[in-house]
Amino acid sequence: MTNIIRLDGLSKHFGSVIGVDDVSLSVRKGEFLTLLGPSGCGKSTLLRMIGGFEEPTAGQIWLDGEDVTDLPPNRRAVNMLFQDYALFPHMSVGKNVGYGLKVAGTPKREVETRVLEVLDLVGLADKAGAAPHQLSGGQQQRVALARAIVRQPKVLLLDEPLSALDANLREAMQVELRHLHQKVGLTFIMVTHDQTEALTMSDRVIVMRAGRIVQDGAPQSLYDLPGSPYIADFIGTTNLFASRIENGRIACHGQPLTIDPQSILPGARTFGFRPEKARLLRGDANGSNLLRGKVAEVFYHGSVARIIVDLGAGQVLVDLQITDAAAGLPQLGDAVAVEIAAHKIMGFAAEDAA
Amino acid sequence: MSLTAAPSTVRTAPARRTSKQLRKAVDAWVWVGVAGLILTFLYIPIVVLVAFSFNTSRSLSWPMTGLTLDWYRKLAENDQLITAVQNSLYVAVSATVLTLLIGVPAALALDRLEFPGKGIFRKLVLLPIALPGIITGISMLILFRLIGFGLSLETVIIGHATALLAVVVTQVFARLQRLPHSLDEASADLGASGWQTFFLVTLPNIRTAVIGAGILSFTLSFDEIPVTFFLTGRDNTLPMYIWSTMRRGLTPEINAVGALIVAASILLILVSVLLQRERPRPSR
Amino acid sequence: MTLPLPLRVRKALVLSPPLIWVVLFMFVPYTILFVFSFWQQQYPTFTPALQLGNYQTLISDPQYLRTLLRTIKIAALVSLFSLLLAYPYAYFLVHKVRRPALRQTLYMAVVAPLWVSYLLRAYTWKTILGTEGILNSFLISTGILTEPSPIFLYNQTSMVVTLTYVFIPFMVMPIYAALEKIPRNLLEASADLGMGRTATFLKVTLPLSLTGVVAGFTMTFCLAFGDFIAAYLVGGPDGMMISNVIATQFGASLNWPLGSALALVMLVIVLAIISVSDRFERLGKGAFA
């Protein structure tokens, strides 16, 4: 597939503050790409530069083979779904959706048909005459979506599209956005700080930190093979600890663990394992790669319980699958052992200063 | 309440309640009294102004001697007054249009644009709100004199537009600040040019503020003296005419003009109140 | 900057009319006023000069200082009385009137007189307070006075009454806005923590409404300070304000440079008051945000 967007060494400085720092990136046609990172990491600025709302300090933006770096938003074939929807309060839903066509001088008849088509696509064909404030949050979002895709942009930009919705609606919209993406076949670039959202919805996730890309990959590779302790902890949860490798063994808060030398580089300084990849055993269990400690806290989540185990010199998290309710949960102060298979331990070079 | 409650509670509760009710009633009357006093202070002069325009006697003293419409009839025959009203209308309409044409872009610039000297620009524009009109008046008088510009109603218009700029900018700016910038961005994103965005998105959403500011500017200009005093040539505006009459002596004719102005003001107030009611509700 | 040309042109189009206007009719005139204050009067014209004579006159001739102090005094009294009337009224509206429609109406009732000609509102006081005026004739008809008294008009009291009357809406508006912005739950929290109504008012309501008070005080003070119409109508020689002296310099006395110097003194005082008030407001925002 061809690249629809190419960013070349894109930077944005706000005075002395660096918002985006030398980012290069290609987006394939039809891809659902997510920019993921904490607030202030530059992901929104990057998106806004693609949309034309921020001027890059340096670098180029190529859209479908054309350099659009200096073009204003109204001359770029990309459209944006705004975080606050930005529906025009003085226009009906139908007028909102048709706005982009109207300013382009599309004949009235054609505007009407296309507005109805796209409203139908988002399931709001009967709301064309309503005012935006008469709609629910979820409906407003769909209107904004319809308005953004009615011009058939080359790329749809989505700026934290789900952050204003409540939890239930958010999950429904995740599914709906995915379906819509498959149906219309547009390229989607979404910004979010919600890792679950990023993992569930996208084909590819780009993790950003302090204006730079720190990892770029499919959701699964990001989760299973995090490139740094930062990502290991940002995507999902990871028990991280510092140690040195001595004779193929490391120390987790003072207790020895064996590692798999094939999956870990010899220079690794930080190690970790995910709570759901460890097993919680009774305190008198025997075996290899056990961390012994006491239950410090229990968080019950229904199908799973997350247990904080106090190892004496530190704490680790471990998830307990609850398959049999009668088995009961461990009690505070119970002596337990945490078993972690050697090949499930991840190793990283020393955490960078950033 | 249970009948088995302690007798003492049953006895004292109503007593306590009445004393509390009494205190509340006194409290309420004190407040109504204070508010009434202030409203009386504000409205007695206006009532007096209007009432005496119908008084048969020439002197403005109590009690009124009888009712008449003579003073209004005299107004209708007063050519000087009619010219003054025409001049005032010309000045107020022109100054309002001018100050809107400058003030709306100024508010837009303050809200949406970054440019060098923005801080000084803002301070200068907003200065006349607190600045005595006389300073605007004399500084422009000196300017016009130095560049050899004769004083006329047009110089008054320029003076008024300058002094009223602050009114327009504050009102429109306040509304713009409540208008999310994402609306502009969405409009541009959907392919609209800057002009299209202004006329199709921004202006409809600040419409009532612009009209409100326009009405207020018109009223203030129609009533303006300090700037007019220094910038007018031989032509009189209505307030200048009334003022010169006033300084010669008090006549019920002035009261009649006043009563008409009060009536017109009430009309304008109603219009601007209706405008505020009609304001579209925010989308969320 | 690497702005694309269309955007830069658009920016300039929006910005240039107000910018040109402000420079031409505000910045330039104020600058000229400043320069003029150093010119010299040589009756019947004035010549360019750079001398402090006008300012020396202002200091050495006691009548200017006296007028200035009187103006400050009258303006301060006007602000004070406006405050004493406006605060209870605004408090009454926000805390005692429960029906929003009634509250809105009573608020409009105070603001509405602003729309009625200022000149006429000041003029009415002349008709009320004069020797042949309504107050005197009323007092005589009720037998309290036997002959008309001139004490009501043409003095500083009549100035303060008239100007308070004229400018009080400017005090009500910001105080009302400030009181209305105070979240009700703060007052409930205060009561919940065991404070009485007076203590709650003094420790919560009053401090939080102080920004409104300062804004109102600044506004009424500056307006009264710069007023020059009321003095002609109800002030008399003892009620003359600094603006009247300036107007005289530009009229009968034909001493524009001296008038400019006076206007500049006035401008500096007004600017000083605004900047102090601004600083207070910013301080308040920081503390209560």
Side-chain angles (χ1 to χ4, degrees), chain B residues 200-220:
Chain B
L200 295 175
V201 176
T202 315
L203 194 57
N205 278 300
I206 61 170
R207 199 186 84 234
T208 51
V210 172
I211 297 175
I215 293 178
L216 190 58
S217 301
F218 177 87
T219 321
L220 293 173

Side-chain angles (χ1 to χ4, degrees), chain A residues 261-308:
Chain A
Q262 278 173 333
S263 64
I264 288 178
L265 293 169
R269 286 285 177 277
T270 304
F271 300 86
F273 62 91
R274 296 203 180 265
E276 71 274 15
K277 302 218 163 144
R279 269 204 323 151
L280 190 74
L281 305 173
R282 286 168 48 165
D284 53 5
N286 282 317
S288 60
N289 263 8
L290 293 185
L291 302 169
R292 292 184 192 279
K294 283 184 172 146
V295 173
E297 235 169 309
V298 177
F299 298 100
Y300 176 67
H301 292 298
S303 62
V304 71
R306 177 157 288 182
I307 319 286
I308 299 183

Side-chain angles (χ1 to χ4, degrees), chain B residues 31 38 41-43 45 48 60-62 102 114 124 128 131 134 138 162 215 223 225 239 243 246 255 258 265, chain C residues 11 14 21 26 30 85 88 91-92 96 109 115 117-120 123-124 132 134 137 165 229 232 243 263 267:
Chain B
W31 280 112
I38 290 166
F41 175 59
L42 281 175
Y43 281 90
V48 164
L60 297 167
S61 55
W62 189 260
I102 305 154
E114 290 305 326
L124 269 178
L131 195 70
I134 185 171
I138 59 170
T162 308
I215 293 178
D223 189 36
I225 290 187
W243 199 32
M246 247 177 220
N255 288 55
S265 307
Chain C
K11 234 170 125 169
V14 173
W21 190 277
M26 301 178 89
Y30 294 152
L85 291 172
Y91 187 87
F92 167 75
K96 303 289 166 181
W115 291 71
S117 168
Y118 159 85
L119 178 65
L120 289 163
Y123 153 81
T124 326
E132 287 168 31
I134 289 143
S137 46
Y165 170 75
I229 293 170
Y232 285 131
S243 296
L267 184 66

Side-chain angles (χ1 to χ4, degrees), chain C residues 85-289:
Chain C
L85 291 172
Y87 199 101
Y89 189 81
Y91 187 87
F92 167 75
L93 288 193
V94 173
H95 289 285
K96 303 289 166 181
V97 180
R98 289 188 199 284
R99 291 223 321 274
L102 182 63
R103 188 188 305 159
Q104 201 58 39
T105 312
L106 287 174
Y107 176 72
M108 275 308 288
V110 171
V111 179
L114 279 184
W115 291 71
V116 178
S117 168
Y118 159 85
L119 178 65
L120 289 163
R121 282 184 297 146
Y123 153 81
T124 326
W125 282 100
K126 187 177 169 121
T127 71
I128 293 175
L129 300 173
T131 40
E132 287 168 31
I134 289 143
L135 183 63
N136 263 313
S137 46
F138 176 76
L139 290 177
I140 291 167
S141 73
T142 52
I144 297 174
L145 286 181
T146 49
E147 58 181 56
S149 161
I151 60 158
F152 301 120
L153 195 56
Y154 301 128
N155 52 38
Q156 295 184 15
T157 315
S158 59
M159 282 295 289
V160 172
V161 170
T162 306
L163 289 175
T164 303
Y165 170 75
V166 169
F167 295 131
I168 195 170
F170 291 103
M171 188 63 96
V172 174
M173 288 191 280
I175 294 179
Y176 178 83
L179 282 174
E180 213 187 23
K181 253 195 295 183
I182 301 175
R184 289 306 159 93
N185 56 15
L186 284 189
L187 307 184
E188 284 161 14
S190 168
D192 187 55
L193 294 169
M195 282 219 234
R197 285 196 300 172
T198 319
T200 299
F201 174 77
L202 290 176
K203 299 240 150 113
V204 181
T205 313
L206 190 60
L208 286 179
S209 60
L210 224 49
T211 48
V213 171
V214 170
F217 212 93
T218 310
M219 202 69 203
T220 46
F221 185 91
C222 290
L223 287 168
F225 184 71
D227 188 87
F228 94 124
I229 293 170
Y232 285 131
L233 292 172
V234 300
D238 188 34
M240 280 296 145
M241 308 278 274
I242 195 81
S243 296
N244 305 112
V245 180
I246 296 175
T248 316
Q249 301 307 323
F250 278 83
S253 300
L254 219 65
N255 191 346
W256 288 20
L258 184 64
S260 302
L262 262 173
L264 219 71
V265 170
M266 191 174 187
L267 184 66
V268 167
I269 292 176
V270 167
L271 288 180
I273 286 168
I274 295 174
S275 76
V276 167
S277 145
D278 263 6
R279 193 151 304 164
F280 180 88
E281 204 174 317
R282 230 170 295 142
L283 206 81
K285 267 191 198 131
F288 303 132

